Amino acid sequence: MKKTMLAALAATLGVSASLPALAAGEVNIYSYRQPFLIEPILEAFTKETGIQTNVIFAKKGLEARMKAEGENSPADLLLSVDIGKLNGAKLEGVAQPVKNAVLETNIPAQYRDVDGQWFGLTTRARVIYASKERVEQTSITYEELADPKWKGRICTRSGQHVYTIGLIASMIAHKGEEETKTWLEGVKANLARRPTGNDRAQVKSIYAGECDISLGNTYYMGQMQTNDKEPEQKDWAESVRILFPNSEDRGTHVNISGVLLAKYAPNKDNAIKLMEYLASDAAQHLYAEVNFEYPVLESVEPSKLVKSWGSFKADTISLNKIADARTKASELVDIVDFDAGPN
């Protein structure tokens, strides 16, 4: 029955599915993480434990589906790429708390839900990509993005994208709503064009001379630098350097990829074993090498390529506070009409 439900879900959402025959040892995963990013880790888990993994991938709607399925949901775990989706799933009531010594030891408190309903597995920094040709400075702050000296020089993706909302929410957590609104208005005034495209598209715009700096997640640099299928992206990457904002004070904003245990997980014990494995030394090394992300396990170093971008101080504010400010951040984006671009 569960296998049928997983197949039906895949057909309904138009998503990719990996559905091996059901076995005594299995765990069913709903995932916002693209399959190629997690398959090496899941394969290693199966090799070590014998527990099979069944994966459904979708770009949206998984937490709503879990809520609609209720007690009949086949989902054991939800893997996500942003604190917003993890906390949103918690608010939808589709997660259950986990009290686990391995998770609490390996994952720093600021990357865990206060109620134990979601856990960060990797971090990524929200950085500034700066033109090597047209930007001389080697340090910057997020506050500085509102400085008129950057007028017509900033590119970014939509203000309503989850990565942008996370950064704005962090500003609210540190500066309050009014100061963040003023800052956001200043950033909007400095945009080179209407926000559009993904993080890599902003670097392409820098390469093309359309702007001088952009906001982006760190791992996109690794994806561009190693993209043999689209080698032009290597040229984009070569045209910029990474600046880690606020490294001299509170630190650079970081977001997480993470996991939560489904409320009605039918394979709860196996799911918790997988959660423990994802926070283990072995899996954290794989995350570092495959995904160009920063491990949450402090004893595991980033990959050689990631370390080549330089060291930085990460903002230690709890992601719980950032999650609480996300709704207000989204409201501010609309209030200042950020996605309309510069006047």
Side-chain angles (χ1 to χ4, degrees), residues 140-306:
I140 199 168
T141 65
Y142 295 116
E143 289 83 352
E144 187 183 331
L145 298 179
D147 190 316
K149 75 177 184 179
W150 296 113
K151 188 172 181 63
R153 302 175 69 187
I154 300 176
C155 288
T156 189
R157 70 196 306 164
S158 169
Q160 290 293 359
H161 190 273
V162 292
Y163 299 156
T164 313
I165 291 296
L167 173 60
I168 298 169
S170 77
M171 292 293 290
I172 293 173
H174 283 290
K175 302 289 185 178
E177 294 177 20
E178 287 304 314
E179 189 170 339
T180 300
K181 178 176 178 290
T182 300
W183 170 77
L184 197 58
E185 290 170 336
V187 177
K188 176 189 174 185
N190 288 341
L191 295 177
R193 53 165 170 74
R194 288 185 64 177
T196 186
N198 57 26
D199 284 3
R200 277 179 283 190
Q202 315 312 316
V203 180
K204 180 182 179 181
S205 291
I206 295 175
Y207 174 76
E210 298 170 4
C211 51
D212 294 339
I213 62 174
S214 72
L215 285 160
N217 283 351
T218 40
Y219 59 82
Y220 285 110
M221 176 62 90
Q223 292 179 0
M224 291 184 290
Q225 288 177 323
T226 60
N227 195 333
D228 293 328
K229 292 183 178 179
E230 299 176 79
E232 65 272 17
Q233 292 194 15
K234 296 182 180 181
D235 295 330
W236 307 349
E238 181 58 29
S239 72
V240 299
R241 69 170 65 90
I242 288 178
L243 303 182
F244 293 98
N246 298 82
S247 288
E248 301 301 319
D249 47 74
R250 69 176 179 274
T252 299
H253 167 63
V254 296
N255 207 324
I256 59 170
S257 74
V259 64
L260 59 80
L261 180 65
K263 184 174 183 179
Y264 300 108
N267 303 291
K268 181 176 179 179
D269 290 343
N270 288 342
I272 292 177
K273 288 178 183 178
L274 178 52
M275 293 175 75
E276 291 177 339
Y277 182 78
L278 294 175
S280 72
D281 185 273
Q284 290 286 297
H285 273 102
L286 284 171
Y287 269 125
E289 294 296 332
V290 174
N291 297 345
F292 310 114
E293 294 175 302
Y294 296 91
V296 294
L297 184 57
E298 295 176 348
S299 61
V300 177
E301 292 189 351
S303 70
K304 183 177 180 181
L305 179 60
V306 171

Side-chain angles (χ1 to χ4, degrees), residues 57-199:
F57 166 74
K59 292 184 178 180
K60 61 182 180 180
L62 290 176
E63 55 267 61
R65 175 62 57 168
M66 293 167 69
K67 186 173 183 178
E69 291 168 342
E71 294 183 24
N72 294 318
S73 178
D76 293 306
L77 296 177
L78 175 67
L79 290 175
S80 188
V81 294
D82 178 78
I83 178 59
K85 288 186 179 296
L86 289 167
N87 200 61
K90 173 186 175 180
L91 296 177
E92 287 285 351
V94 299
Q96 62 173 297
V98 177
K99 182 72 174 177
N100 182 275
V102 173
L103 299 177
E104 292 174 6
T105 299
N106 290 6
I107 302 172
Q110 67 264 31
Y111 303 138
R112 290 187 267 117
D113 176 46
V114 291
D115 299 317
Q117 293 198 36
W118 52 256
F119 297 84
L121 298 172
T122 65
T123 66
R124 65 283 299 270
R126 195 72 180 158
V127 298
I128 305 298
Y129 288 111
S131 169
K132 290 179 179 177
E133 290 184 357
R134 300 182 299 278
V135 178
E136 294 183 1
Q137 66 189 68
T138 57
S139 64
I140 199 168
T141 65
Y142 295 116
E143 289 83 352
E144 187 183 331
L145 298 179
D147 190 316
K149 75 177 184 179
W150 296 113
K151 188 172 181 63
R153 302 175 69 187
I154 300 176
C155 288
T156 189
R157 70 196 306 164
S158 169
Q160 290 293 359
H161 190 273
V162 292
Y163 299 156
T164 313
I165 291 296
L167 173 60
I168 298 169
S170 77
M171 292 293 290
I172 293 173
H174 283 290
K175 302 289 185 178
E177 294 177 20
E178 287 304 314
E179 189 170 339
T180 300
K181 178 176 178 290
T182 300
W183 170 77
L184 197 58
E185 290 170 336
V187 177
K188 176 189 174 185
N190 288 341
L191 295 177
R193 53 165 170 74
R194 288 185 64 177
T196 186
N198 57 26
D199 284 3

